[in-house]
Amino acid sequence: MKRSSLRQQGRSAGDLIEEAVHLLRTVPPGVLAAYYLGSLPFVLGLLFFWADLSRNPLARQHIVEAALGVSVLFLWMKFWQALFARRLRAHLAGETPPPLDFSRGLRILITQAIVQPAGLFLLPLAAIPVLPLAWMYACLQNATALADNDVRQLLGKSLRQSLRWPGQNHLMLLYMTLFALVVFLNCSIGSLALPWLVKTLFGIETVFSRSGTAMLNTTFFTAMAGLTYLCVDPILKTLYVLRCFYGDSVQSGADLRAE
């Protein structure tokens, strides 16, 4: 009776976060490598694009080509994040993921290319009235977790899963936002302290150790935001894989079979 109630009402946000961290620690290294194979090039490309625009007076001459390159890296990232979520879901179910042939990979790439860029516009719009933001964010994350579907099925399943257990979703996002803020502050403080550590330990003087404000520019904060994303986003992706898995299990009993 208790198990049935838990499946219907959903786990608490704290339990789900704990389970997501444990799942990331137990998956084979290749699963997490798939995530960073896609995300790291995009973060580095975006950082280069931002630094070039903010410091290079000739950047406007090649801004179209640079923006196109960042767009391609964005789709590359979303493709590999979908593969990461796909392998996580198979590991969670105790199954082997279906073989990734050319047609299946192309379908995943096309569905992500259709759905995910819309989030760049829909999330800011959803943030204006604030209330729909958590559901919109969950829907986009679900589209990554459920990438093995065509576009119509993907949108339908993502929307249904985003409406399930709203309290869990909102509280989970609150916890993860606070965690991301702590990670951002830790990365920033550590990076600001690094020039002084180098000077103290190795006697190497740099422009950053001479002036503490030399590092405080938009490129620095963009780099810290990118580093925070690389640290926090795998946990977020895992959380929504778990939400989709348990959401499907209400009907299919997949969690019972996995146990």
Side-chain angles (χ1 to χ4, degrees), residues 79 100-113:
F79 173 73
L100 185 68
D101 53 21
F102 178 78
S103 61
R104 189 186 297 271
L106 184 61
R107 183 179 65 188
I108 292 175
L109 178 61
I110 291 174
T111 55
Q112 295 301 300

Side-chain angles (χ1 to χ4, degrees), residues 75-90:
L75 296 180
W76 170 265
M77 175 181 71
K78 289 302 178 182
F79 173 73
W80 280 100
Q81 286 180 353
L83 297 186
F84 163 74
R86 182 173 178 264
R87 296 180 66 179
L88 262 185
R89 193 176 172 92

Side-chain angles (χ1 to χ4, degrees), residues 2-23:
K2 183 178 179 181
R3 179 186 292 273
S4 176
S5 175
L6 181 65
R7 293 176 67 210
Q8 293 294 334
Q9 298 176 11
R11 287 163 167 76
S12 68
D15 289 343
L16 200 67
I17 292 172
E18 183 179 356
E19 186 174 356
V21 173
H22 176 71
L23 180 60

Side-chain angles (χ1 to χ4, degrees), residues 181-241:
L181 180 60
V182 172
V183 172
F184 179 82
L185 291 174
N186 282 337
C187 292
S188 301
I189 293 171
S191 299
L192 288 171
L194 188 60
W196 281 271
L197 289 175
V198 171
K199 179 182 177 181
T200 302
L201 297 176
F202 304 105
I204 301 175
E205 185 77 46
T206 65
V207 64
F208 301 118
S209 60
R210 294 191 190 99
S211 173
T213 60
M215 294 178 68
L216 298 179
N217 50 57
T218 58
T219 302
F220 172 79
F221 290 113
T222 303
M224 295 303 102
L227 190 57
T228 302
Y229 177 82
L230 292 174
C231 293
V232 176
D233 190 63
I235 304 176
L236 277 169
K237 292 288 185 294
T238 307
L239 284 169
Y240 283 98
V241 168

Side-chain angles (χ1 to χ4, degrees), residues 136-157:
M136 179 58 66
Y137 184 80
C139 187
L140 291 169
Q141 294 293 335
N142 293 341
T144 299
L146 301 169
D148 261 336
N149 293 277
D150 59 39
V151 176
R152 180 177 296 182
Q153 290 177 331
L154 180 64
L155 291 175
K157 288 184 177 181

Side-chain angles (χ1 to χ4, degrees), residues 35-52 69-78 81 219-234:
Y35 175 88
Y36 286 110
L37 183 62
S39 300
L40 191 57
F42 170 74
V43 170
L44 293 176
L46 181 62
L47 181 60
F48 176 80
F49 178 73
W50 184 278
D52 189 48
V70 173
S71 301
V72 171
L73 288 176
F74 177 78
L75 296 180
W76 170 265
M77 175 181 71
K78 289 302 178 182
Q81 286 180 353
T219 302
F220 172 79
F221 290 113
T222 303
M224 295 303 102
L227 190 57
T228 302
Y229 177 82
L230 292 174
C231 293
V232 176
D233 190 63

